[in-house]
Amino acid sequence: MSERELGFLRIGELARRTGASPELLRAWERRYGLLRPTRSQGGFRLYTAADEARVRRMRDHLSHGVAAAEAARLALAAEAAAPAARPPEVAATAPLQAAARELAAALDQFQEEQAHEVLDRVLAAYRIETVLRDLLIPYLHDLGERWARGEVSVAQEHFAANLVRGRLLGLARGWGQGHGPAAVLACLPAEQHDLGLLAFGITLQRRGWRIVYLGPDTPIATIHHAIGRITTDLVVLTSTVAEHVAANADAIADLARSTPVALGGAGATAELAARTGAHLLDTDPVTAAERIPTPAAPRRSGRR
Amino acid sequence: MSERELGFLRIGELARRTGASPELLRAWERRYGLLRPTRSQGGFRLYTAADEARVRRMRDHLSHGVAAAEAARLALAAEAAAPAARPPEVAATAPLQAAARELAAALDQFQEEQAHEVLDRVLAAYRIETVLRDLLIPYLHDLGERWARGEVSVAQEHFAANLVRGRLLGLARGWGQGHGPAAVLACLPAEQHDLGLLAFGITLQRRGWRIVYLGPDTPIATIHHAIGRITTDLVVLTSTVAEHVAANADAIADLARSTPVALGGAGATAELAARTGAHLLDTDPVTAAERIPTPAAPRRSGRR
Amino acid sequence: MSERELGFLRIGELARRTGASPELLRAWERRYGLLRPTRSQGGFRLYTAADEARVRRMRDHLSHGVAAAEAARLALAAEAAAPAARPPEVAATAPLQAAARELAAALDQFQEEQAHEVLDRVLAAYRIETVLRDLLIPYLHDLGERWARGEVSVAQEHFAANLVRGRLLGLARGWGQGHGPAAVLACLPAEQHDLGLLAFGITLQRRGWRIVYLGPDTPIATIHHAIGRITTDLVVLTSTVAEHVAANADAIADLARSTPVALGGAGATAELAARTGAHLLDTDPVTAAERIPTPAAPRRSGRR
DNA sequence: ATAGGTTTTGTCAAGCTTTTGTACAT
DNA sequence: ATGTACAAAAGCTTGACAAAACCTAT
């Protein structure tokens, strides 16, 4: 199970690899449903690597004296449990919370594949905004708290954050194209946490905005430079530390005189917003983005 | 060292593991009720890991000089009853009816965002089966009736149906994976309504089945082709028009001779089911899927 | 006797280097498409180093007991994976072609999981527009042609189309929200092929539009109803059959008098577009969507 | 503990089809 | 170079068989 062996095996090769005769493999299929190969155009059985693993488990159980029918049952059952492909009725009441627990469990164990699997499933079933607001942001919040309490190592936190960042960046792809109003997004100097800002940007983009993303630790001067080159309808700045916001208050105020500025993150207080003339974002990033009004909606005609 | 023992052992292997002869194990069962094995289809005793532990305790007592009858009593007494916690079932459908009204209002107005928002909320709180049976299927039914009465335009109906289809296909993602029994799902020729069939498939998948989905307007002949490539345990065909079922009755009967076939949708009548040798699905798709028995193990052995 | 064929090998030399006879190499090309040599002026096959490597992989798989058809598939698929790992984009479509082959192989075999795996991998590496234009649309086109030639059964076609539709509808989720211009999308009456229209809609949405999707087989009259309820900037109609367009020409012309209409699909001809006063979409759906101008771009603030 | 019968499970065979490397004619 | 043909190898299905393992009852 090392590499991406997407290929199919025919029965002879499977037999050779597992040490079970073709006749026996067919009997196991017929009697216990151990294998369910697809067929070639001409009807030959085609097996996958997963099938090979299952036969191995079967043989293993047999060598331990388990009767064939039971060995097959066990070999099959191992699959229902291991890949959490099917959330086994745990917490049937709140599927999304169950998914959050699954995600946490996978990431705590450095199980990249299973984490992606959970995210794939959830993204297929829910709107992105919901996944961000009700799954990923609470998860990241919880992760941060567990890290603060020492329940999670730096390695686990980094692993999880980077995996989530990768997914968010994937969702963000192409967010700068289109014709809507444009927002410039940046973390204030010294601020490294950009996941909330990414969620904000994704939500905003899905409401018709174009996003110019400057990311963590951005000097205010850089923002001036960006604004000079792009018609900008909104600048969004975030920081988790109020002191860092305060340290940049004058520059922010200066910026806010020429362009609408919104201030978010745990370090953004009402007092600082008032002082800088910025708009305060005081809810979760998704809700905050949904509340941003669209500037000067174009009046369209139905008549031509 | 622990989960391998989830399987059953036959008497020979139990004897080998515990050092007690099969005859002795049977005698202990008969005389002291030490063991209460389940039986295989053919009558073989099947023991669990708990049985193995009990035999070990028995032998242990015996080696300490305790008389057999007393040893058995002790070995049995050691077992304490561990009551299993039962997950509470949430079943209040009143909020779902409210959600159905919200959904209808949103879709009637071509409000995609609100419709998705309702569905996200409901899916986050209820089991998928519940959402399908108590929200979406009633909603679609109602939509159809309003369309027939001319209260809803084709545009509204198309818009709503396509949005719901998108959500259902999202929930369906990955339903072909796994190693459970496989069902091939298709609408009969000329039939375009596949939403009920999607709901059926999603429910069936969550009960361990694999789904191969062929969708609307599928010629019967092509199902033979699919079956030739996939080990198929069930074929499900639906149509809303009895005449369309009747027009294909011979082909369905032919199919039913080689594979179990179930017939659903408003066009599936008891008479047609009897005529074609198909199983009739005469409830809502979710309930119908829940009633499909899982083929425990392919019991196709050639006994005579 | 010949020009210097820089870096190219002829079949004899390739045979000598790889140990496969020329006849065998030709058979592999014919049966599995393993090689696609360019030709010399006189018709000789000219192979590259990549071809040689591919033959080596093929032989390697064969020596491991993999059947020839599978060995070829793997040898080809290896090309899809390797370059995809590298930083992406820049219109290198060769890996996408390989991915298309992988996708075709998976879907032909009703392998849902592997098909999703290919799509996940590609979507993680490329822009959606690129995946649509260079992978999915060519794939669907090819699928249609193979179906017409009888190389693919209706079951395979249905299965593939429904899986792709599920992915597209997933990508489309939320396309009706936001504040951009709105487009109403529909297939003309009798038209069931909506995948191209979905691709069109997704592209348009990513450029800032809002989409109202009515889907297959939509009566023109009902579009009026939708337009009456939504401020509509564009109506897009498609059909693969010119006769169906012609049959609705008057209604389309009527519609086009009050709202901009674009006409796409294989059934949309310049003549019909001219007759109905509709705009002709005569490229692939993605390119067509990218060429749609945004109506009356709002002049945004950013006072300077 | 033994006898007599049943179930389970690995193996085999007959008759036919598909796959695949190689050969040959044009 | 192309296309067709061919035959060996590998597979398929159905049906059957026998040894091992297990049953009950005496």
Side-chain angles (χ1 to χ4, degrees), chain A residues 185-197:
Chain A
L185 271 49
C187 299
L188 285 174
E191 179 59 49
Q192 300 296 337
H193 294 78
D194 66 336
L195 295 176
L197 192 60

PDB file of all heavy atoms in Angstrom, chain A residues 185-197:
ATOM      1  N   LEU A 185      -6.830  42.771   1.286  1.00  0.00           N
ATOM      2  CA  LEU A 185      -6.825  42.105   2.582  1.00  0.00           C
ATOM      3  C   LEU A 185      -5.400  41.950   3.092  1.00  0.00           C
ATOM      4  O   LEU A 185      -4.527  41.489   2.358  1.00  0.00           O
ATOM      5  CB  LEU A 185      -7.458  40.714   2.458  1.00  0.00           C
ATOM      6  CG  LEU A 185      -8.972  40.571   2.648  1.00  0.00           C
ATOM      7  CD1 LEU A 185      -9.724  41.591   1.809  1.00  0.00           C
ATOM      8  CD2 LEU A 185      -9.409  39.159   2.310  1.00  0.00           C
ATOM      9  N   ALA A 186      -5.193  42.270   4.366  1.00  0.00           N
ATOM     10  CA  ALA A 186      -3.843  42.122   4.908  1.00  0.00           C
ATOM     11  C   ALA A 186      -3.881  41.963   6.420  1.00  0.00           C
ATOM     12  O   ALA A 186      -4.777  42.479   7.091  1.00  0.00           O
ATOM     13  CB  ALA A 186      -2.997  43.344   4.542  1.00  0.00           C
ATOM     14  N   CYS A 187      -2.895  41.227   6.942  1.00  0.00           N
ATOM     15  CA  CYS A 187      -2.678  41.207   8.382  1.00  0.00           C
ATOM     16  C   CYS A 187      -1.722  42.358   8.721  1.00  0.00           C
ATOM     17  O   CYS A 187      -0.778  42.640   7.974  1.00  0.00           O
ATOM     18  CB  CYS A 187      -2.034  39.905   8.822  1.00  0.00           C
ATOM     19  SG  CYS A 187      -3.034  38.445   8.468  1.00  0.00           S
ATOM     20  N   LEU A 188      -1.947  42.971   9.855  1.00  0.00           N
ATOM     21  CA  LEU A 188      -1.074  44.061  10.294  1.00  0.00           C
ATOM     22  C   LEU A 188       0.338  43.545  10.575  1.00  0.00           C
ATOM     23  O   LEU A 188       0.544  42.338  10.730  1.00  0.00           O
ATOM     24  CB  LEU A 188      -1.666  44.720  11.545  1.00  0.00           C
ATOM     25  CG  LEU A 188      -2.871  45.621  11.258  1.00  0.00           C
ATOM     26  CD1 LEU A 188      -3.479  46.122  12.560  1.00  0.00           C
ATOM     27  CD2 LEU A 188      -2.440  46.798  10.400  1.00  0.00           C
ATOM     28  N   PRO A 189       1.294  44.417  10.651  1.00  0.00           N
ATOM     29  CA  PRO A 189       2.670  44.001  10.958  1.00  0.00           C
ATOM     30  C   PRO A 189       2.715  43.142  12.213  1.00  0.00           C
ATOM     31  O   PRO A 189       1.985  43.386  13.167  1.00  0.00           O
ATOM     32  CB  PRO A 189       3.391  45.335  11.168  1.00  0.00           C
ATOM     33  CG  PRO A 189       2.650  46.290  10.308  1.00  0.00           C
ATOM     34  CD  PRO A 189       1.219  45.847  10.356  1.00  0.00           C
ATOM     35  N   ALA A 190       3.553  42.137  12.180  1.00  0.00           N
ATOM     36  CA  ALA A 190       3.777  41.203  13.286  1.00  0.00           C
ATOM     37  C   ALA A 190       2.693  40.143  13.394  1.00  0.00           C
ATOM     38  O   ALA A 190       2.845  39.181  14.128  1.00  0.00           O
ATOM     39  CB  ALA A 190       3.926  41.920  14.622  1.00  0.00           C
ATOM     40  N   GLU A 191       1.605  40.319  12.664  1.00  0.00           N
ATOM     41  CA  GLU A 191       0.523  39.345  12.773  1.00  0.00           C
ATOM     42  C   GLU A 191       0.741  38.206  11.777  1.00  0.00           C
ATOM     43  O   GLU A 191       0.913  38.450  10.587  1.00  0.00           O
ATOM     44  CB  GLU A 191      -0.818  40.028  12.495  1.00  0.00           C
ATOM     45  CG  GLU A 191      -2.003  39.099  12.567  1.00  0.00           C
ATOM     46  CD  GLU A 191      -2.110  38.446  13.932  1.00  0.00           C
ATOM     47  OE1 GLU A 191      -2.031  39.179  14.947  1.00  0.00           O
ATOM     48  OE2 GLU A 191      -2.236  37.210  14.005  1.00  0.00           O
ATOM     49  N   GLN A 192       0.702  36.979  12.281  1.00  0.00           N
ATOM     50  CA  GLN A 192       0.935  35.832  11.395  1.00  0.00           C
ATOM     51  C   GLN A 192      -0.326  35.035  11.105  1.00  0.00           C
ATOM     52  O   GLN A 192      -0.345  34.184  10.230  1.00  0.00           O
ATOM     53  CB  GLN A 192       1.983  34.898  12.020  1.00  0.00           C
ATOM     54  CG  GLN A 192       3.337  35.549  12.253  1.00  0.00           C
ATOM     55  CD  GLN A 192       4.009  35.972  10.952  1.00  0.00           C
ATOM     56  OE1 GLN A 192       3.714  35.438   9.888  1.00  0.00           O
ATOM     57  NE2 GLN A 192       4.906  36.954  11.037  1.00  0.00           N
ATOM     58  N   HIS A 193      -1.373  35.254  11.907  1.00  0.00           N
ATOM     59  CA  HIS A 193      -2.577  34.420  11.733  1.00  0.00           C
ATOM     60  C   HIS A 193      -3.426  34.947  10.594  1.00  0.00           C
ATOM     61  O   HIS A 193      -4.070  35.987  10.750  1.00  0.00           O
ATOM     62  CB  HIS A 193      -3.402  34.420  13.011  1.00  0.00           C
ATOM     63  CG  HIS A 193      -2.704  33.749  14.150  1.00  0.00           C
ATOM     64  ND1 HIS A 193      -1.702  34.351  14.880  1.00  0.00           N
ATOM     65  CD2 HIS A 193      -2.841  32.514  14.668  1.00  0.00           C
ATOM     66  CE1 HIS A 193      -1.271  33.519  15.813  1.00  0.00           C
ATOM     67  NE2 HIS A 193      -1.933  32.391  15.712  1.00  0.00           N
ATOM     68  N   ASP A 194      -3.456  34.238   9.507  1.00  0.00           N
ATOM     69  CA  ASP A 194      -4.232  34.736   8.380  1.00  0.00           C
ATOM     70  C   ASP A 194      -5.401  33.838   8.005  1.00  0.00           C
ATOM     71  O   ASP A 194      -6.101  34.123   7.039  1.00  0.00           O
ATOM     72  CB  ASP A 194      -3.322  34.937   7.163  1.00  0.00           C
ATOM     73  CG  ASP A 194      -2.773  33.619   6.644  1.00  0.00           C
ATOM     74  OD1 ASP A 194      -2.699  32.666   7.444  1.00  0.00           O
ATOM     75  OD2 ASP A 194      -2.431  33.551   5.466  1.00  0.00           O
ATOM     76  N   LEU A 195      -5.637  32.799   8.773  1.00  0.00           N
ATOM     77  CA  LEU A 195      -6.701  31.882   8.362  1.00  0.00           C
ATOM     78  C   LEU A 195      -8.073  32.542   8.427  1.00  0.00           C
ATOM     79  O   LEU A 195      -8.916  32.342   7.545  1.00  0.00           O
ATOM     80  CB  LEU A 195      -6.664  30.611   9.219  1.00  0.00           C
ATOM     81  CG  LEU A 195      -5.396  29.788   9.014  1.00  0.00           C
ATOM     82  CD1 LEU A 195      -5.367  28.589   9.944  1.00  0.00           C
ATOM     83  CD2 LEU A 195      -5.293  29.319   7.577  1.00  0.00           C
ATOM     84  N   GLY A 196      -8.294  33.321   9.464  1.00  0.00           N
ATOM     85  CA  GLY A 196      -9.563  34.035   9.543  1.00  0.00           C
ATOM     86  C   GLY A 196      -9.720  35.010   8.382  1.00  0.00           C
ATOM     87  O   GLY A 196     -10.791  35.124   7.787  1.00  0.00           O
ATOM     88  N   LEU A 197      -8.654  35.656   8.037  1.00  0.00           N
ATOM     89  CA  LEU A 197      -8.692  36.594   6.924  1.00  0.00           C
ATOM     90  C   LEU A 197      -8.967  35.877   5.599  1.00  0.00           C
ATOM     91  O   LEU A 197      -9.696  36.390   4.741  1.00  0.00           O
ATOM     92  CB  LEU A 197      -7.365  37.352   6.847  1.00  0.00           C
ATOM     93  CG  LEU A 197      -7.317  38.570   5.930  1.00  0.00           C
ATOM     94  CD1 LEU A 197      -8.328  39.621   6.370  1.00  0.00           C
ATOM     95  CD2 LEU A 197      -5.912  39.151   5.885  1.00  0.00           C
TER      96      LEU A 197
END
